[in-house]
């Protein structure tokens, strides 16, 4: 009997064993193929990064080498620097550098990209490179040369020692020391070198892009939990007897704030966020249940405008609407002297069952609001602006607006065709 069972099971076990060996070998080959492909991708990105840094150094040098009257060559050189820097940034993102201190170098490349783009796209025949910009380019030429040399040393070591990026990635993921620290030490050296560079004059348009928002930018005195409680109850139109729970957030940081939750009688809670400095309202959310759609987007927009006016947000104008299901999101911006100021924007959410506002986000408004903002004079007339458009475009409306941080680094300004013109909703953009 046992012989019969053995005669049946032996070939079955043998087949299973051979199958498992084949399967295991196949899995191993697939893993090796994936590892080889990943390593090849890392190596390609690293060597391309080293090559493009060398090209950036050369292009900056070429831009500085031509005479001050060669605006065409300046423009070509700056746009090449922008293109190459963008490629270098992309290659950095492909490398396993998340656990390496390389943030200063990434920011440095970002500033070079923005500086070269914003300088290169303007009309250099009318506004040639300034002395400060030439000085900045000279500093960038020297700095990029040092970074190029450091990366070249790492590249030579990688080739000579046949180092693998996967070993570095796995070691850092497991919080272990890799067998060879050449790659880590090399990139750390580059980052430390960048940290020692003196601050350059990037110009106002580039520097403003890196300004960090924090409570230090706000005016007013710090508020207490009791102050926030009073503000929250008033904004929620709840009585003084309503329950309000206030929680402090981000203590000891540049983002100190309070979250207030008001429990209204016979209703869902209302949540609000306030800045600690000045007690300014950042966000509002009414968690009530929604009914079926019963009002139009236009009606909801009008109620949202009335809501903002009632809550003390004056001269706010709807510029876009995004309806979906029984909700609609509006973007409101402040209007001053007939000019729409897009930096001072708020996002309003309204329910289409009755048109009431059930939430808003006012982060941009809080940090960008100015009572008497200086309105720059329009550099283009409406007729001149129209000439820049494709003739196939059909103009629905025109208006004057300030749009901050455009690619040109300037304000975009258009003249309003009719001051009392009704803004079309929802398709505004």
């Amino acid at each position: 009997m046992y012989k019969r069972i053995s005669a049946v099971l032996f070939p079955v076990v043998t087949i299973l064993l051979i199958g498992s060996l084949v399967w295991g070998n196949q899995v191993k080959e697939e893993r090796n193929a994936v590892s080889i492909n990943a390593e090849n991708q890392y190596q390609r990105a690293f060597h391309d990064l080293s090559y493009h840094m060398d090209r950036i150094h050369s292009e900056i040098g070429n831009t500085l080498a031509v005479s001050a009257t060669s605006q065409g060559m300046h423009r070509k050189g700056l746009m090449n620097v922008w293109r190459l820097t963008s490629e270098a940034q992309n290659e950095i993102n492909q490398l396993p550098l998340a656990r390496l201190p390389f943030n200063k170098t990434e920011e440095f490349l970002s500033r070079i990209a923005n500086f070269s783009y914003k300088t290169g796209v303007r009309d250099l025949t009318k506004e040639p490179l300034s002395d400060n910009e030439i000085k900045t380019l000279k500093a960038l030429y020297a700095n990029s040369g040092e970074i190029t040399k450091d990366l070249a040393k790492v590249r030579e070591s990688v080739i000579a020692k046949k180092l693998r990026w996967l070993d570095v990635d796995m070691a850092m993921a497991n919080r272990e020391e890799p067998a060879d620290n050449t790659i880590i030490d090399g990139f750390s050296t580059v980052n430390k070198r960048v940290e020692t560079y003196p601050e350059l004059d990037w110009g106002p348009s580039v520097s403003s892009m890196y300004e960090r928002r924090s409570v230090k930018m706000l005016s007013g005195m710090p508020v207490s939990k009791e102050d926030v409680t009073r503000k929250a109850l008033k904004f929620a139109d709840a009585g003084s007897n309503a329950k309000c729970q206030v929680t402090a957030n981000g203590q000891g940081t540049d983002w100190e704030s309070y979250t207030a939750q008001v429990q209204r009688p016979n209703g869902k809670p209302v949540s609000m966020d306030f800045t600690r400095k000045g007690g300014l309202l950042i966000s509002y959310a009414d968690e009530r249940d929604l009914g079926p759609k019963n009002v139009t987007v236009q009606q909801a927009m009008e109620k949202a405008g009335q809501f903002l006016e009632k809550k003390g947000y004056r001269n706010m104008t709807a510029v876009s609407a995004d309806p979906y299901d029984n909700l609609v999101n509006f973007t409101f911006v402040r209007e001053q002297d007939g000019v729409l100021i897009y930096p001072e924007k708020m996002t309003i959410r309204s329910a289409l069952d009755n048109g009431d506002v059930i939430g808003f986000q006012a982060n941009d408004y809080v940090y960008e609001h100015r009572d008497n903002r200086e309105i720059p004079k329009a550099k283009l007339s409406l007729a001149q602006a129209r000439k820049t458009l494709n003739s196939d475009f059909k103009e629905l409306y025109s208006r004057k607006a300030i749009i901050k941080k455009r690619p040109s680094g300037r304000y975009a300004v258009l003249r309003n065709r009719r001051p009392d013109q009704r803004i079309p909703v929802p398709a505004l953009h």
Side-chain angles (χ1 to χ4, degrees):
M1 178 178 177
Y2 291 109
K3 289 183 178 179
R4 272 189 236 161
I5 294 174
S6 299
V8 173
L9 290 180
F10 182 75
V12 172
V13 172
T14 302
I15 292 172
L16 290 175
L17 179 60
I18 294 172
S20 63
L21 290 173
V22 172
W23 175 78
N25 186 59
Q26 185 178 358
V27 170
K28 182 180 179 181
E29 289 180 355
E30 289 177 354
R31 286 180 178 174
N32 288 338
V34 171
S35 297
I36 291 171
N37 183 60
E39 180 63 27
N40 288 341
Q41 293 291 338
Y42 286 152
Q43 293 287 353
R44 179 197 55 76
F46 169 63
H47 290 290
D48 284 350
L49 171 63
S50 180
Y51 168 72
H52 285 130
M53 281 304 308
D54 185 53
R55 287 285 312 279
I56 290 169
H57 177 63
S58 298
E59 284 295 337
I60 295 175
N62 293 340
T63 305
L64 288 169
V66 297
S67 68
T69 58
S70 303
Q71 286 87 10
M73 291 299 295
H74 285 162
R75 177 185 176 88
K76 180 181 178 181
L78 288 167
M79 296 313 293
N80 282 338
V81 170
W82 168 68
R83 176 179 57 81
L84 292 167
T85 308
S86 299
E87 290 183 11
Q89 289 177 286
N90 181 52
E91 285 140 14
I92 288 174
N93 291 332
Q94 295 176 42
L95 292 172
L97 302 176
R99 300 177 186 89
L100 277 177
F102 207 59
N103 57 310
K104 291 295 182 181
T105 307
E106 292 181 80
E107 182 181 325
F108 181 69
L109 289 173
S110 173
R111 287 176 183 262
I112 294 177
N114 286 309
F115 172 78
S116 57
Y117 180 86
K118 291 179 180 296
T119 308
V121 295
R122 74 174 189 240
D123 189 347
L124 292 175
T125 59
K126 296 180 180 178
E127 193 179 351
L129 293 177
S130 67
D131 292 339
N132 281 338
E133 287 169 338
I134 294 293
K135 184 178 179 181
T136 298
L137 281 173
K138 288 180 179 179
L140 292 179
Y141 178 72
N143 296 344
S144 61
E146 292 174 346
I147 295 174
T148 298
K149 290 178 181 178
D150 288 338
L151 288 178
K153 291 178 182 178
V154 178
R155 184 184 64 218
E156 291 169 3
S157 297
V158 167
I159 295 173
K161 299 179 181 180
K162 298 181 180 181
L163 301 178
R164 297 196 333 146
W165 277 91
L166 279 177
D167 295 337
V168 176
D169 190 26
M170 293 177 63
M172 296 190 70
N174 297 326
R175 300 181 183 276
E176 298 173 354
E177 283 292 326
D180 192 304
N181 282 324
T182 301
I183 293 178
I184 295 176
D185 291 344
F187 276 82
S188 297
T189 299
V190 172
N191 202 62
K192 289 177 181 178
R193 184 186 294 279
V194 173
E195 282 185 309
T196 64
Y197 291 155
E199 184 63 32
L200 299 176
D201 183 3
W202 300 100
S205 60
V206 175
S207 297
S208 63
M209 298 179 66
Y210 298 90
E211 290 178 355
R212 290 184 58 201
R213 285 178 173 176
S214 72
V215 293
K216 295 177 182 178
M217 299 171 61
L218 303 175
S219 60
M221 298 296 292
V223 296
S224 64
K225 288 187 176 182
E226 290 73 21
D227 297 325
V228 170
T229 299
R230 288 192 294 270
K231 287 174 176 285
L233 291 175
K234 181 180 179 181
F235 194 90
D237 295 323
S240 57
N241 294 327
K243 293 182 180 179
C244 180
Q245 182 179 356
V246 178
T247 306
N249 308 309
Q251 291 177 305
T253 71
D254 285 351
W255 303 93
E256 289 185 283
S257 65
Y258 290 106
T259 297
Q261 191 169 63
V262 177
Q263 183 65 54
R264 293 180 298 189
N266 304 321
K268 294 281 186 176
V270 176
S271 179
M272 286 164 274
D273 289 326
F274 293 85
T275 62
R276 182 175 181 271
K277 190 174 181 181
L280 302 174
L281 183 60
I282 300 173
S283 66
Y284 163 83
D286 186 344
E287 301 174 15
R288 73 173 177 84
D289 296 326
L290 303 180
K293 183 177 178 180
N294 197 38
V295 299
T296 65
V297 171
Q298 184 70 34
Q299 291 171 326
M301 184 195 74
E302 292 172 356
K303 291 194 73 171
Q306 294 167 3
F307 172 86
L308 292 176
E309 184 75 20
K310 177 184 175 183
K311 298 301 182 181
Y313 299 98
R314 306 280 192 267
N315 304 317
M316 301 298 291
T317 302
V319 295
S320 71
D322 182 21
Y324 62 96
D325 294 335
N326 55 350
L327 292 169
V328 57
N329 288 333
F330 296 109
T331 298
F332 277 78
V333 302
R334 193 171 72 86
E335 185 173 348
Q336 178 182 319
D337 300 330
V339 179
L340 296 176
I341 305 172
Y342 276 77
E344 298 183 31
K345 70 177 183 290
M346 301 174 66
T347 303
I348 311 297
R349 173 169 290 183
S350 297
L352 293 179
D353 55 356
N354 60 9
D356 285 350
V357 172
I358 60 170
F360 73 75
Q361 179 61 243
N363 232 34
D364 289 318
Y365 183 90
V366 166
Y367 286 98
E368 297 288 347
H369 177 63
R370 307 288 183 272
D371 287 329
N372 295 302
R373 181 182 288 270
E374 182 180 351
I375 306 294
K377 185 179 179 180
K379 293 187 176 181
L380 291 177
S381 66
L382 181 56
Q384 290 172 323
R386 283 173 176 156
K387 288 180 180 179
T388 65
L389 299 177
N390 190 301
S391 59
D392 292 336
F393 281 132
K394 181 180 179 181
E395 181 184 332
L396 298 177
Y397 58 89
S398 59
R399 56 197 178 194
K400 183 185 285 187
I402 291 178
I403 303 174
K404 195 176 180 182
K405 296 180 182 176
R406 301 290 291 177
S408 63
R410 300 182 179 281
Y411 290 106
V413 184
L414 292 176
R415 296 188 180 279
N416 203 339
R417 182 176 57 187
R418 193 169 71 247
D420 61 342
Q421 181 178 14
R422 194 167 189 78
I423 294 176
V425 173
L428 296 183
H429 295 295

